[in-house]
Amino acid sequence: MIQIPAQAQSHCSIRRLVQRIPNDAGGDGTFERMAERLKDYHGPHRLELLVCQSRNLGVAGHCNAVLPRASGDIVVMMAGDDISRPDRVEKLLAAYAENPGAMAIASGFRTVDDRGQPIQDAPMSLPPRFGLSTLLKHRRLDSLLGATLSFRREVFARFGALHGSVEDNALTLRASLLGECLILPDVLVDYRQHGGSVSHGIFARGVAGEDAAELARQRLRRTAHFMMGTAEDFAHAIECLPELSARRRYQAHCLQHRYAATAAMRAALADDAFAPRWRALCFALSRPGMRLRALEYVGKLWRRA
């Protein structure tokens, strides 16, 4: 996690920054190697090795433990074994200076495997500049990619601890309540994907020879869990902003309902019983902005019943 102090934001070259390096109970020796390499650092920046967690908190839980210690105005996430390009922070800093209404900025990325070799990946479907209304009109529940994410500290501090287990959707939605979100075209991160990555654990579809039906049920349960957590976080964020206009509040609630109803329907698809599917469908049909999406699920719900 890198923080950019307020006095550095008006400059395109970074004179001073704070980098806090936490360890979420990792046991591969990386934290110890970093400590060894940094002990003799005497440069202009401030580097702080945060205390190791006694147990793994997961991505959102780790953010909740680390982000309250942030003191800068902009937070740049550097996650797992992804690789940031040398000019990543500088380009993000320039983008914030040029776009004072931006609350979160991500960038282009290159997906690589565990050896750093490029692999095929679907491009981002969100536009370069978007807000709450764009997310509501978007058919998919997309967000800024957590591996490339940066945001103003207010996006966390205004609402408090993240709910749920996934950080990027929640932070994107929070940022959209407060202002705009941007995606820079520059490829500034090598986003590593492999069998042990966090996103693989949520979205993996398995490999040949495994029980395809059981893998599909597990994936539905995992995605339902993270979507419901995101819905709970967004509902909390909406309530923290009583000054929202009636129109924006309605848009936000419709988007929150989409996450909650989609989570309920995915969880129901993983269940063999008819009753949970019927309840999930009725719940979705009762939510503003969800009726068309619910009807799209009818075929899946009954085909698998």
Side-chain angles (χ1 to χ4, degrees):
M1 177 180 72
I2 287 182
Q3 303 169 74
I4 301 171
Q7 61 267 34
Q9 291 181 40
S10 60
H11 303 280
C12 290
S13 60
I14 302 171
R15 297 180 178 177
R16 183 173 64 86
L17 58 79
V18 180
Q19 181 163 1
R20 289 191 164 95
I21 306 170
N23 181 18
D24 192 19
D28 62 356
T30 300
F31 192 74
E32 290 74 18
R33 288 195 296 273
M34 287 191 297
E36 180 64 25
R37 293 191 64 178
L38 296 178
K39 68 180 182 180
D40 296 323
Y41 175 77
H42 301 294
H45 309 300
R46 193 171 94 230
L47 307 177
E48 181 181 349
L49 288 169
L50 300 183
V51 64
C52 299
Q53 305 292 351
S54 59
R55 62 182 179 85
N56 186 276
L57 302 177
V59 179
H62 193 51
C63 287
N64 290 337
V66 173
L67 288 176
R69 303 185 65 162
S71 56
D73 290 340
I74 296 172
V75 176
V76 180
M77 305 292 279
M78 293 187 175
D81 53 1
D82 303 323
I83 301 172
S84 291
R85 303 293 170 86
D87 59 349
R88 180 188 174 200
V89 175
E90 187 168 359
K91 287 188 173 181
L92 290 171
L93 180 59
Y96 278 107
E98 294 170 5
N99 299 275
M103 298 304 296
I105 301 180
S107 72
F109 61 93
R110 183 183 70 153
T111 305
V112 299
D113 61 19
D114 56 350
R115 296 170 298 171
Q117 297 302 308
I119 56 177
Q120 186 67 31
D121 189 54
M124 292 289 290
S125 60
L126 287 168
R129 184 184 299 268
F130 64 91
L132 189 62
S133 60
T134 303
L135 291 173
L136 183 59
K137 294 174 185 176
H138 202 56
R139 287 186 57 81
R140 296 171 55 181
L141 295 175
D142 276 341
S143 72
L144 299 175
L145 179 65
T148 72
L149 186 59
S150 71
F151 53 91
R152 298 191 188 274
R153 185 162 57 97
E154 183 184 359
V155 173
F156 181 84
R158 184 76 179 269
F159 307 107
L162 296 168
H163 298 237
S165 58
V166 176
E167 89 293 0
D168 44 9
N169 289 69
L171 290 168
T172 300
L173 291 173
R174 288 180 176 199
S176 73
L177 281 179
L178 297 173
E180 285 188 312
C181 299
L182 274 60
I183 304 175
L184 304 183
D186 312 65
V187 174
L188 302 179
V189 174
D190 282 353
Y191 175 45
R192 203 180 299 273
Q193 288 286 279
H194 52 82
S197 65
V198 172
S199 57
H200 180 89
I202 296 174
F203 297 108
R205 291 173 171 82
V207 297
E210 296 183 272
D211 185 339
E214 179 56 29
L215 285 170
R217 283 192 290 270
Q218 291 177 9
R219 181 171 178 270
L220 285 167
R221 293 188 187 105
R222 288 194 296 267
T223 55
H225 175 70
F226 100 71
M227 286 181 178
M228 185 55 71
T230 301
E232 292 171 358
D233 187 85
F234 198 38
H236 166 74
I238 295 168
E239 293 308 307
C240 288
L241 296 178
E243 68 273 21
L244 279 177
S245 67
R247 178 174 176 272
R248 285 180 62 78
R249 184 172 296 275
Y250 176 77
Q251 290 177 330
H253 276 303
C254 285
L255 192 53
Q256 188 265 335
H257 294 324
R258 184 183 297 178
Y259 271 90
T262 302
M265 289 189 291
R266 290 199 176 195
L269 282 170
D271 197 307
D272 291 329
F274 173 82
R277 299 183 183 193
W278 175 251
R279 287 195 298 271
L281 179 61
C282 291
F283 172 73
L285 288 169
S286 70
R287 301 293 92 186
M290 268 305 298
R291 295 181 179 90
L292 180 60
R293 180 66 60 89
L295 292 174
E296 292 174 352
Y297 266 76
V298 170
K300 295 180 182 180
L301 289 165
W302 262 254
R303 183 167 63 248
R304 299 185 56 173

